[in-house]
Amino acid sequence: GNDSYSSSQAQNPSTPWRSLAKLNAFFSSLNAGDVVLFKRGDTFEGTIIATKSGYAGNPITFSAYGSGNRPVISGFGSVGSWTNIGNGVWEAAFSSETATLNMVTLNETAYAMGRYPNSTAANKGYLTIDNAYGSSSITDNQLSSYPNWNGAEVVIRKNRWIIDRNKVTSHSGSTINYSTASSYTASKGYGYFIQNHPSTLDSFGEWYYNKSTKKLRVYFGSNSPSSYRVKASRKEVGVSFNRNGYLKFDNLAFEGFNFRTFDVERTTD
């Protein structure tokens, strides 16, 4: 496709537009009953920002044309230009447009953020809380002072139905202090693990993202990053609309968004 084509040319499958940015720029010119078609087998990176509504029984429709797999609306961005920083860990620059990064894939397979202990360890990867102090501190007599987990997240099962992610504010010996994520307090005998820290990377595919430096680290072990297509979530939402309605989405696939696939506010239908 080519975004320089006119709207009339873009109605011909041999001269389509290329990007979601072009669609968003044209969106206010769409009318009830219009149909926007994406080519099957293609991937379109970005967010659809709806600024126009259809009518009851006559929506604006987004669907597919051609043959093959459903077209993909993707929040992923490709990651490359890796630097070997040692011990099987490689680093690459990656600019996520959101405050967090929630998904990384290698050759289309999703891998989890690095954690300690690994999920394959004893007790399904949970350490045990020996004592809990209010909503800001836990102790574990088996916890080592190294590595220091300051700046990581401590993920605490606070009761049978609550698992909270809490920012570690300091770590000294067997004690972890954290900023609370909710009003729930930790309890003695329940479990926790550590994530979102570079020292957790020791299993293939585990990753860590530093939002300050905008660098992604992945553990490849003895493998080369060049053997894998690595993608990470860049966009927050797939489709966004506010006070718009009667929009129909059909035969499309969505992937790789950090927050929501559809972010809908104050709509009608």
Side-chain angles (χ1 to χ4, degrees):
N2 191 320
D3 287 346
S4 66
Y5 290 139
S6 68
S7 57
S8 296
Q9 288 175 305
Q11 295 179 55
N12 187 322
S14 64
T15 53
W17 286 334
R18 180 179 181 85
S19 71
L20 296 183
K22 180 64 176 181
L23 169 62
N24 292 336
F26 185 79
F27 209 105
S28 61
S29 298
L30 294 173
N31 296 300
D34 282 347
V35 179
V36 179
L37 300 176
F38 297 86
K39 186 179 180 182
R40 286 182 176 271
D42 280 4
T43 297
F44 303 86
E45 294 183 1
T47 300
I48 298 174
I49 302 174
T51 55
K52 197 74 174 286
S53 297
Y55 296 119
N58 200 25
I60 299 174
T61 300
F62 301 83
S63 191
Y65 74 95
S67 60
N69 294 330
R70 293 179 180 182
V72 177
I73 311 300
S74 179
F76 280 128
S78 296
V79 187
S81 300
W82 294 95
T83 299
N84 188 346
I85 62 173
N87 297 318
V89 178
W90 294 70
E91 183 178 77
F94 182 77
S95 181
S96 175
E97 296 180 8
T98 64
T100 59
L101 191 156
N102 291 326
M103 285 179 284
V104 173
T105 65
L106 279 65
N107 290 353
E108 313 306 325
T109 298
Y111 286 85
M113 181 188 297
R115 59 174 281 176
Y116 171 80
N118 293 325
S119 60
T120 54
N123 199 30
K124 296 184 179 180
Y126 275 85
L127 302 170
T128 302
I129 299 170
D130 286 319
N131 283 292
Y133 305 93
S135 58
S136 62
S137 182
I138 58 173
T139 59
D140 173 6
N141 295 331
Q142 303 300 313
L143 183 66
S144 171
S145 59
Y146 181 83
N148 189 291
W149 297 115
N150 187 37
E153 285 182 340
V154 55
V155 182
I156 305 174
R157 181 180 291 278
K158 293 184 176 179
N159 53 46
R160 291 183 178 179
W161 63 91
I162 292 293
I163 298 178
D164 271 343
R165 296 167 61 170
N166 312 268
K167 178 71 176 291
V168 176
T169 55
S170 65
H171 168 209
S172 177
S174 61
T175 300
I176 289 178
N177 299 301
Y178 56 90
S179 56
T180 186
S182 72
S183 60
Y184 292 95
T185 58
S187 301
K188 180 179 179 179
Y190 277 80
Y192 76 97
F193 61 87
I194 305 293
Q195 68 176 17
N196 203 27
H197 192 281
S199 294
T200 62
L201 304 183
D202 61 3
S203 293
F204 179 79
E206 284 190 324
W207 56 270
Y208 160 74
Y209 182 66
N210 187 321
K211 63 182 180 181
S212 297
T213 62
K214 296 188 181 300
K215 298 287 183 67
L216 175 68
R217 293 185 181 184
V218 177
Y219 184 86
F220 287 95
S222 59
N223 301 284
S224 171
S226 62
S227 300
Y228 300 90
R229 184 187 179 198
V230 183
K231 299 188 295 185
S233 296
R234 173 169 283 148
K235 296 290 184 177
E236 186 173 34
V237 299
V239 179
S240 173
F241 50 101
N242 187 339
R243 300 183 187 275
N244 301 108
Y246 300 106
L247 304 172
K248 180 181 178 180
F249 294 86
D250 180 49
N251 284 315
L252 301 176
F254 293 85
E255 67 173 16
F257 296 98
N258 274 318
F259 184 50
R260 295 188 179 114
T261 300
F262 283 81
D263 189 27
V264 181
E265 295 185 43
R266 293 170 286 188
T267 190
T268 52
D269 195 0

